[in-house]
Short mmCIF file of all heavy atoms in Angstrom, two decimals:
data_model
loop_
_atom_site.label_atom_id
_atom_site.label_comp_id
_atom_site.label_asym_id
_atom_site.label_seq_id
_atom_site.Cartn_x
_atom_site.Cartn_y
_atom_site.Cartn_z
N LEU A 29 -10.27 26.43 16.89
CA LEU A 29 -10.86 27.43 16.00
C LEU A 29 -10.78 26.96 14.54
O LEU A 29 -11.76 27.03 13.79
CB LEU A 29 -10.11 28.75 16.19
CG LEU A 29 -10.59 29.98 15.44
CD1 LEU A 29 -12.08 30.17 15.59
CD2 LEU A 29 -9.86 31.21 15.97
N SER A 32 -13.30 24.40 13.90
CA SER A 32 -14.66 24.89 13.69
C SER A 32 -14.79 25.51 12.29
O SER A 32 -15.83 25.38 11.65
CB SER A 32 -15.08 25.85 14.79
OG SER A 32 -14.22 26.94 14.84
N ILE A 33 -13.74 26.14 11.81
CA ILE A 33 -13.79 26.71 10.44
C ILE A 33 -13.91 25.59 9.41
O ILE A 33 -14.67 25.69 8.45
CB ILE A 33 -12.56 27.60 10.19
CG1 ILE A 33 -12.71 28.89 11.00
CG2 ILE A 33 -12.41 27.92 8.70
CD1 ILE A 33 -11.51 29.80 11.01
N ALA A 36 -17.56 24.58 9.41
CA ALA A 36 -18.41 25.58 8.74
C ALA A 36 -18.21 25.50 7.23
O ALA A 36 -19.18 25.56 6.46
CB ALA A 36 -18.05 26.98 9.25
N ASN A 75 -24.40 33.21 8.37
CA ASN A 75 -25.03 32.62 9.56
C ASN A 75 -24.26 31.42 10.07
O ASN A 75 -24.08 31.25 11.27
CB ASN A 75 -26.48 32.22 9.26
CG ASN A 75 -27.34 33.43 9.04
OD1 ASN A 75 -26.99 34.53 9.46
ND2 ASN A 75 -28.48 33.25 8.37
N VAL A 76 -23.82 30.56 9.16
CA VAL A 76 -23.09 29.36 9.57
C VAL A 76 -21.80 29.75 10.29
O VAL A 76 -21.52 29.25 11.38
CB VAL A 76 -22.76 28.47 8.34
CG1 VAL A 76 -21.74 27.40 8.69
CG2 VAL A 76 -24.03 27.82 7.80
N PHE A 77 -21.03 30.65 9.68
CA PHE A 77 -19.76 31.02 10.31
C PHE A 77 -19.99 31.72 11.65
O PHE A 77 -19.32 31.44 12.64
CB PHE A 77 -18.89 31.86 9.37
CG PHE A 77 -18.09 30.99 8.44
CD1 PHE A 77 -18.59 30.63 7.19
CD2 PHE A 77 -16.86 30.47 8.83
CE1 PHE A 77 -17.87 29.79 6.35
CE2 PHE A 77 -16.14 29.63 8.00
CZ PHE A 77 -16.65 29.29 6.76
N MET A 78 -20.96 32.62 11.69
CA MET A 78 -21.26 33.33 12.94
C MET A 78 -21.63 32.34 14.04
O MET A 78 -21.13 32.41 15.15
CB MET A 78 -22.44 34.29 12.73
CG MET A 78 -22.05 35.54 12.00
SD MET A 78 -20.99 36.53 13.08
CE MET A 78 -20.44 37.78 11.96
N HIS A 79 -22.52 31.43 13.71
CA HIS A 79 -23.02 30.50 14.70
C HIS A 79 -21.90 29.59 15.22
O HIS A 79 -21.71 29.44 16.42
CB HIS A 79 -24.14 29.65 14.08
CG HIS A 79 -24.74 28.69 15.04
ND1 HIS A 79 -25.65 29.09 16.00
CD2 HIS A 79 -24.53 27.37 15.24
CE1 HIS A 79 -25.98 28.05 16.73
NE2 HIS A 79 -25.32 26.99 16.29
N ILE A 80 -21.14 29.04 14.30
CA ILE A 80 -20.10 28.09 14.70
C ILE A 80 -19.00 28.78 15.50
O ILE A 80 -18.49 28.23 16.46
CB ILE A 80 -19.58 27.34 13.45
CG1 ILE A 80 -20.61 26.25 13.12
CG2 ILE A 80 -18.20 26.75 13.67
CD1 ILE A 80 -20.29 25.39 11.96
N LEU A 81 -18.67 30.01 15.13
CA LEU A 81 -17.60 30.71 15.84
C LEU A 81 -18.03 31.13 17.25
O LEU A 81 -17.22 31.17 18.17
CB LEU A 81 -17.15 31.93 15.04
CG LEU A 81 -16.42 31.59 13.73
CD1 LEU A 81 -16.23 32.83 12.87
CD2 LEU A 81 -15.06 30.93 14.01
N LYS A 82 -19.31 31.43 17.40
CA LYS A 82 -19.81 31.87 18.70
C LYS A 82 -19.78 30.77 19.75
O LYS A 82 -19.64 31.04 20.93
CB LYS A 82 -21.28 32.31 18.57
CG LYS A 82 -21.46 33.77 18.28
CD LYS A 82 -22.95 34.10 18.25
CE LYS A 82 -23.17 35.38 17.48
NZ LYS A 82 -24.56 35.59 17.12
N LYS A 83 -19.94 29.54 19.28
CA LYS A 83 -20.24 28.47 20.22
C LYS A 83 -19.03 27.70 20.72
O LYS A 83 -19.15 26.63 21.26
CB LYS A 83 -21.22 27.48 19.55
CG LYS A 83 -22.58 28.08 19.26
CD LYS A 83 -23.30 28.41 20.54
CE LYS A 83 -24.56 29.21 20.27
NZ LYS A 83 -25.13 29.81 21.48
N ARG A 84 -17.83 28.22 20.48
CA ARG A 84 -16.65 27.39 20.73
C ARG A 84 -15.77 27.84 21.89
O ARG A 84 -14.67 27.31 22.06
CB ARG A 84 -15.81 27.31 19.46
CG ARG A 84 -16.53 26.64 18.32
CD ARG A 84 -16.47 25.15 18.48
NE ARG A 84 -17.40 24.51 17.57
CZ ARG A 84 -17.11 23.42 16.87
NH1 ARG A 84 -15.93 22.86 16.98
NH2 ARG A 84 -18.02 22.89 16.09
N ASP A 85 -16.16 28.91 22.60
CA ASP A 85 -15.33 29.35 23.72
C ASP A 85 -13.93 29.80 23.31
O ASP A 85 -12.98 29.58 24.06
CB ASP A 85 -15.16 28.21 24.75
CG ASP A 85 -16.33 28.18 25.72
OD1 ASP A 85 -17.16 29.09 25.64
OD2 ASP A 85 -16.39 27.24 26.52
N ILE A 86 -13.80 30.33 22.12
CA ILE A 86 -12.46 30.71 21.66
C ILE A 86 -12.44 32.17 21.22
O ILE A 86 -11.45 32.86 21.35
CB ILE A 86 -12.03 29.85 20.44
CG1 ILE A 86 -12.28 28.37 20.72
CG2 ILE A 86 -10.57 30.08 20.10
CD1 ILE A 86 -12.39 27.54 19.49
N VAL A 87 -13.58 32.62 20.70
CA VAL A 87 -13.63 33.91 20.02
C VAL A 87 -14.41 34.91 20.86
O VAL A 87 -15.46 34.58 21.42
CB VAL A 87 -14.31 33.70 18.64
CG1 VAL A 87 -14.48 35.01 17.91
CG2 VAL A 87 -13.50 32.72 17.79
N CYS A 88 -13.89 36.16 20.95
CA CYS A 88 -14.63 37.18 21.71
C CYS A 88 -15.44 38.08 20.80
O CYS A 88 -16.29 38.83 21.27
CB CYS A 88 -13.68 37.99 22.59
SG CYS A 88 -12.30 38.73 21.72
N GLY A 89 -15.17 38.02 19.49
CA GLY A 89 -15.95 38.85 18.56
C GLY A 89 -15.67 38.46 17.12
O GLY A 89 -14.62 37.89 16.82
N VAL A 90 -16.64 38.74 16.26
CA VAL A 90 -16.51 38.41 14.85
C VAL A 90 -16.90 39.65 14.04
O VAL A 90 -17.87 40.33 14.37
CB VAL A 90 -17.44 37.24 14.45
CG1 VAL A 90 -17.21 36.83 13.00
CG2 VAL A 90 -17.27 36.04 15.37
N ILE A 101 -19.33 38.81 21.21
CA ILE A 101 -19.82 37.56 21.81
C ILE A 101 -20.01 37.82 23.31
O ILE A 101 -19.10 38.29 23.99
CB ILE A 101 -18.86 36.40 21.49
CG1 ILE A 101 -18.78 36.34 19.96
CG2 ILE A 101 -19.37 35.09 22.13
CD1 ILE A 101 -18.24 35.14 19.34
N ASN A 110 -12.60 35.16 26.09
CA ASN A 110 -11.91 34.54 24.96
C ASN A 110 -10.86 35.47 24.36
O ASN A 110 -10.94 36.67 24.49
CB ASN A 110 -12.93 34.12 23.89
CG ASN A 110 -13.84 33.03 24.41
OD1 ASN A 110 -13.48 32.29 25.33
ND2 ASN A 110 -15.03 32.93 23.84
N VAL A 114 -12.20 37.01 14.93
CA VAL A 114 -12.18 36.51 13.56
C VAL A 114 -12.83 37.55 12.66
O VAL A 114 -13.86 38.13 13.01
CB VAL A 114 -12.94 35.17 13.44
CG1 VAL A 114 -12.98 34.69 11.99
CG2 VAL A 114 -12.30 34.10 14.32
N LEU A 115 -12.23 37.78 11.50
CA LEU A 115 -12.83 38.63 10.48
C LEU A 115 -13.03 37.76 9.25
O LEU A 115 -12.15 36.96 8.91
CB LEU A 115 -11.92 39.81 10.14
CG LEU A 115 -11.72 40.80 11.30
CD1 LEU A 115 -10.50 40.46 12.11
CD2 LEU A 115 -11.62 42.22 10.78
N THR A 116 -14.18 37.92 8.61
CA THR A 116 -14.44 37.03 7.49
C THR A 116 -15.25 37.67 6.37
O THR A 116 -16.09 38.53 6.61
CB THR A 116 -15.17 35.75 7.99
OG1 THR A 116 -15.44 34.90 6.87
CG2 THR A 116 -16.49 36.06 8.66
N PHE A 135 -10.93 34.12 5.67
CA PHE A 135 -10.95 34.40 7.12
C PHE A 135 -9.59 34.86 7.62
O PHE A 135 -8.56 34.56 7.03
CB PHE A 135 -11.44 33.19 7.92
CG PHE A 135 -10.56 31.96 7.78
CD1 PHE A 135 -9.51 31.75 8.66
CD2 PHE A 135 -10.81 31.03 6.78
CE1 PHE A 135 -8.69 30.61 8.53
CE2 PHE A 135 -10.00 29.91 6.65
CZ PHE A 135 -8.94 29.69 7.53
N ILE A 137 -7.55 35.81 11.49
CA ILE A 137 -7.63 35.63 12.94
C ILE A 137 -6.56 36.49 13.64
O ILE A 137 -5.40 36.48 13.24
CB ILE A 137 -7.44 34.14 13.31
CG1 ILE A 137 -8.49 33.28 12.58
CG2 ILE A 137 -7.50 33.93 14.82
CD1 ILE A 137 -8.26 31.78 12.72
#
Side-chain angles (χ1 to χ4, degrees):
L29 184 49
S32 59
I33 289 172
N75 291 340
V76 167
F77 276 92
M78 283 291 171
H79 182 78
I80 281 181
L81 291 169
K82 268 183 201 166
K83 294 293 171 193
R84 296 280 167 137
D85 275 354
I86 311 159
V87 176
C88 54
V90 185
I101 303 196
N110 295 336
V114 177
L115 295 93
T116 179
F135 62 90
I137 303 172

